[in-house]
Amino acid sequence: AQSVAQPEDQVNVAEGNPLTVKCTYSVSGNPYLFWYVQYPNRGLQFLLKYITGDNLVKGSYGFEAEFNKSQTSFHLKKPSALVSDSALYFCAVRDPTTSGTYKYIFGTGTRLKVLA
Amino acid sequence: DTGVSQDPRHKITKRGQNVTFRCDPISEHNRLYWYRQTLGQGPEFLTYFQNEAQLEKSRLLSDRFSAERPKGSFSTLEIQRTEQGDSAMYLCASSLAGTGVTGELFFGEGSRLTVL
């Protein structure tokens, strides 16, 4: 069964510092991996995805993520955090090799707080 | 606005009443998903449709829950005999499916249910 884990409930970082939000996954095949951001009382917004190819993928708002197959991880990163990046971040996985399912499994979320 | 829209945004009901939520996906999207999100948690998969066919349902979806997508466009999620444990945000998402399409999800703003 596919699953995704976000080991940190909250990450605090000073504005201007680099940030990392961690995600690990478990699927039977090669995963499709996604990051979403959620602001208060809003729906989830797509940030970036990894499907195949280059392990470093770039997305919206200066975010990037690195796929590491040996560590089954897909950590979200940004070189310089902004206060406006403070939000709830979700990692999601889909296993395209599991026949008959197109469902996406989400992690429990990590709250990012960027301190001025 | 060409995004995913959900209605109503907030519903307050008494225990035992029935409620129905509507989702209008992005018009060219053929897959539609329902998720449930409680405070501090990630979205939990409920069900999804490809066109009008309901292809998968979570075990979370008890027989009090029913979802339809009668013409492959909008969808409804009905909860009968609501319980306080049904209080949550109900998220709808849509995606484009097809050969070569990786199909990230686009979410609506959600419908918040409060059962008194």
Side-chain angles (χ1 to χ4, degrees):
Chain A
Q2 53 188 345
S3 66
V4 60
Q6 294 181 242
E8 302 155 318
D9 289 337
Q10 182 161 316
V11 169
N12 294 329
V13 64
E15 188 176 31
N17 282 4
L19 69 87
T20 299
V21 182
K22 295 179 180 177
C23 171
T24 59
Y25 66 89
S26 174
V27 300
S28 56
N30 294 318
Y32 291 178
L33 293 157
F34 305 84
W35 275 102
Y36 288 82
V37 61
Q38 187 176 35
Y39 297 99
N41 298 313
R42 305 294 299 274
L44 279 71
Q45 295 178 34
F46 169 73
L47 275 180
L48 52 77
K49 65 185 177 186
Y50 172 83
I51 304 301
T52 188
D54 194 349
N55 289 344
L56 185 65
V57 293
K58 295 187 183 298
S60 306
Y61 312 120
F63 283 94
E64 57 191 28
E66 186 166 14
F67 172 64
N68 187 317
K69 187 171 184 177
S70 62
Q71 296 186 1
T72 62
S73 67
F74 188 57
H75 299 332
L76 181 70
K77 301 182 180 187
K78 188 173 182 181
S80 178
L82 300 173
V83 172
S84 57
D85 293 329
S86 299
L88 197 51
Y89 290 81
F90 292 98
C91 182
V93 65
R94 178 165 91 77
D95 180 358
T97 60
T98 300
S99 176
T101 184
Y102 292 89
K103 71 181 182 187
Y104 298 71
I105 301 300
F106 285 80
T108 51
T110 298
R111 185 166 301 282
L112 174 66
K113 270 195 165 180
V114 181
L115 308 168
Chain B
D1 184 13
T2 56
V4 177
S5 63
Q6 293 188 244
D7 185 69
R9 292 290 311 279
H10 196 178
K11 178 74 175 177
I12 301 172
T13 191
K14 292 183 179 178
R15 185 164 50 95
Q17 298 295 303
N18 299 344
V19 297
T20 300
F21 300 112
R22 175 180 170 125
C23 172
D24 287 89
I26 294 171
S27 58
E28 63 268 26
H29 285 184
N30 47 6
R31 285 208 187 113
L32 185 148
Y33 295 75
W34 286 99
Y35 282 82
R36 180 171 66 188
Q37 186 180 23
T38 52
L39 199 62
Q41 298 297 313
E44 295 175 299
F45 171 79
L46 293 179
T47 188
Y48 82 92
F49 295 82
Q50 179 148 329
N51 300 314
E52 65 275 11
Q54 187 173 21
L55 295 187
E56 190 168 346
K57 286 170 35 172
S58 166
R59 284 168 295 187
L60 291 174
L61 214 63
S62 77
D63 55 8
R64 296 185 298 106
F65 288 70
S66 62
E68 294 182 340
R69 195 183 182 199
K71 295 184 180 178
S73 56
F74 73 92
S75 175
T76 57
L77 176 69
E78 181 183 16
I79 309 173
Q80 296 182 325
R81 304 181 304 281
T82 52
E83 302 172 356
Q84 288 183 325
D86 297 331
S87 296
M89 177 78 86
Y90 290 85
L91 299 171
C92 178
S94 68
S95 71
L96 186 62
T99 302
V101 175
T102 53
E104 59 267 25
L105 300 180
F106 292 83
F107 281 86
E109 300 278 297
S111 292
R112 182 171 296 284
L113 174 65
T114 302
V115 182
L116 302 176

